[in-house]
């Protein structure tokens, strides 16, 4: 069992003993998503820590999007719960890049792409190919794309 998955299980046990309903339900759902990912495909397999981290990131993103949707729908109580669940999951993810750090990485990638001959808004794909491996797991894809578009637009 991977270290991240075992840490999730240990934290679930701790949360259950402390009768922390929010944390225990969040971790249960996340562990279920991890198990589902492990058995999907032709053969069951054990996920690596990186793969487990991707599943956690996907679950955290679902919580953020649900919180936004509930807030727009006027269901603030449900939105707050989704935000709290997202914060619990964020504790298991690496620290996200700040806007300045992300901007610096994107700016160097734009220079690199322009040196290779990519210009204007059409260079988006080339720049994203350079940026994505550098920021994998450290920044949300939407934030990265918005930053790239902003720099390419001028």
């Amino acid at each position: 069992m991977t270290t991240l998955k075992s840490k999730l299980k240990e934290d679930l046990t701790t949360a259950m003993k402390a009768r922390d309903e929010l944390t225990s339900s969040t971790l249960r759902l996340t562990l279920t998503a991890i198990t589902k990912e492990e058995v999907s495909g032709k053969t069951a397999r054990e996920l690596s820590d990186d793969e487990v981290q991707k599943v956690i990131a996907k679950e955290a993103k679902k919580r953020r999007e649900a919180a936004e949707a509930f807030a727009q729908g006027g269901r603030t109580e449900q939105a707050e719960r989704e935000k709290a669940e997202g914060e619990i999951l964020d504790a298991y993810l690496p620290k996200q890049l700040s806007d300045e750090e992300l901007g610096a990485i994107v700016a160097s990638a734009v220079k690199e792409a322009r040196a290779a001959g990519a210009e204007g808004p059409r260079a988006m794909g080339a720049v994203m190919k350079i940026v994505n491996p550098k920021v994998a797991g450290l920044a949300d894809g939407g934030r990265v794309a918005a930053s790239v578009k902003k720099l390419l637009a001028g």
Side-chain angles (χ1 to χ4, degrees), residues 25-114:
S25 69
T26 303
L27 294 179
R28 264 195 200 107
L29 287 169
T30 304
L31 284 166
T32 301
I34 291 167
T35 303
K36 185 178 175 186
E37 189 69 28
E38 287 177 334
V39 298
S40 67
K42 295 184 186 212
T43 58
R45 63 190 175 84
E46 179 108 9
L47 296 181
S48 68
D49 270 350
D50 287 341
E51 292 170 316
V52 170
Q53 206 167 35
K54 285 178 184 171
V55 172
I56 294 171
K58 190 168 34 170
E59 290 296 308
K61 183 178 179 185
K62 282 182 191 176
R63 300 308 188 290
R64 282 193 299 275
E65 290 171 351
E68 256 179 52
F70 282 127
Q72 288 174 356
R75 297 184 59 193
T76 55
E77 189 176 301
Q78 192 66 30
E80 290 301 315
R81 180 176 171 89
E82 293 290 337
K83 276 184 191 169
E85 288 180 2
E87 289 168 6
I88 290 168
L89 293 176
D90 285 342
Y92 296 96
L93 297 171
K95 186 179 174 294
Q96 297 289 296
L97 292 173
S98 70
D99 290 337
E100 294 80 28
E101 293 167 325
L102 180 60
I105 292 170
V106 170
S108 72
V110 168
K111 285 180 189 170
E112 195 177 320
R114 284 191 175 140

Side-chain angles (χ1 to χ4, degrees), residues 1-12:
M1 185 180 309
T2 61
T3 55
L4 188 54
K5 186 176 175 185
S6 59
K7 176 159 176 40
L8 286 168
K9 286 187 175 186
E10 289 168 14
D11 291 351
L12 173 60

